[in-house]
Amino acid sequence: MELLLDEAADLAVREAWRRLADAGLPSQARHRSPTNSPHLTLAACPELTAPIRWELAEVAAALPLPVHFTGVVRFERPTSVLAWALDRDPALARLHRRAWEAVASDSPPETLNPFHEPGRWSPHITLGRTRRPGAFSGRRVPELLPAPPLSARLTTLRSYDTETGALEVLDPRP
């Protein structure tokens, strides 16, 4: 499950992508898929079952949700990631917990990403990623980037199927 940003924040992220690419650094701008857009990942599951969809409709009803950017963050997981971090304020933490509980309610536990668990989840918008460890360390990357927006709104809940490439907007219950 992903949350999309309002138009102004989306444009700011795309500008950061462009600047990284222009500097020859790993950038999400290099992903040419039409489904590639700035987003906040909430959770992933192997299948969107009816019970999960039902619960996610409540998550979608909480949108739009204001959020605040806190600056640049780097992750070294199996991949090297550069991102803009978001403040995990109480409203965002509640929305994330509801999304996590929805996918966990009807998914085998071993299929869920432990980095998405409440308490471990680090809300961020990816700017660049690569399989090269340390690709962003030791570089003056923050100087390349525009300042992140002070605030933004998360506007749309969507699902992206990594196997088929299908996108689906998940609407609130009527």
Side-chain angles (χ1 to χ4, degrees), residues 75-159:
F75 300 105
E76 291 295 334
R77 294 181 178 161
T79 58
S80 192
V81 176
L82 179 74
W84 276 338
L86 295 174
D87 180 21
R88 186 173 44 189
D89 65 20
L92 182 56
R94 272 192 309 276
L95 184 137
H96 171 255
R97 181 171 291 283
R98 288 184 12 222
W100 173 262
E101 289 171 352
V103 299
S105 71
D106 202 34
S107 298
E110 67 276 5
T111 65
L112 300 176
N113 184 333
F115 288 119
H116 295 157
E117 290 178 22
R120 291 191 70 191
W121 179 66
S122 297
H124 65 278
I125 309 296
T126 299
L127 302 176
R129 77 162 25 120
T130 180
R131 296 190 190 281
R132 289 190 336 249
F136 298 106
S137 58
R139 300 192 184 236
R140 296 165 44 149
V141 174
E143 295 171 14
L144 290 172
L145 299 173
L150 294 176
S151 61
R153 290 179 313 127
L154 300 170
T155 60
T156 306
L157 178 65
R158 77 175 187 181
S159 169

Side-chain angles (χ1 to χ4, degrees), residues 9-26:
D10 182 278
L11 290 172
V13 172
R14 290 177 189 277
E15 174 62 14
W17 289 0
R18 185 192 63 75
R19 290 185 186 191
L20 288 170
D22 288 352
L25 291 168

